[in-house]
Amino acid sequence: MRYRVTLESGRSALIDDVAHRHFLRQAARRGDERTRVRGGWVVTLPGGALVALLRESTYAPTR
């Protein structure tokens, strides 16, 4: 599965399962606040910056 990481500044990138799990483990180890949201997580970094880790859609939107 692929995930989209989006920083508060608007920059984003696609990551794989391994990077996703690593990021969440590191956030837990540092004590960063993690909030479960539909499709993923939002992590509050030191200083208050937010990072969204959301599952990338695997289907095309319907019109």
Side-chain angles (χ1 to χ4, degrees):
M1 189 169 296
R2 294 171 62 153
Y3 294 85
R4 181 161 300 277
V5 175
T6 305
L7 304 177
E8 203 170 358
S9 65
R11 295 193 57 141
S12 68
L14 287 176
I15 61 172
D16 62 9
D17 285 327
V18 174
H20 175 257
R21 287 190 306 269
H22 178 74
F23 185 87
L24 289 176
R25 274 196 311 273
Q26 290 296 326
R29 195 170 292 146
R30 287 189 309 265
D32 298 340
E33 181 181 341
R34 297 174 299 151
T35 305
R36 184 82 166 118
V37 296
R38 180 182 290 181
W41 295 87
V42 173
V43 177
T44 305
L45 299 175
L50 300 175
V51 176
L53 294 133
L54 302 175
R55 185 175 51 247
E56 185 73 2
S57 177
T58 57
Y59 57 90
T62 57
R63 293 185 182 220

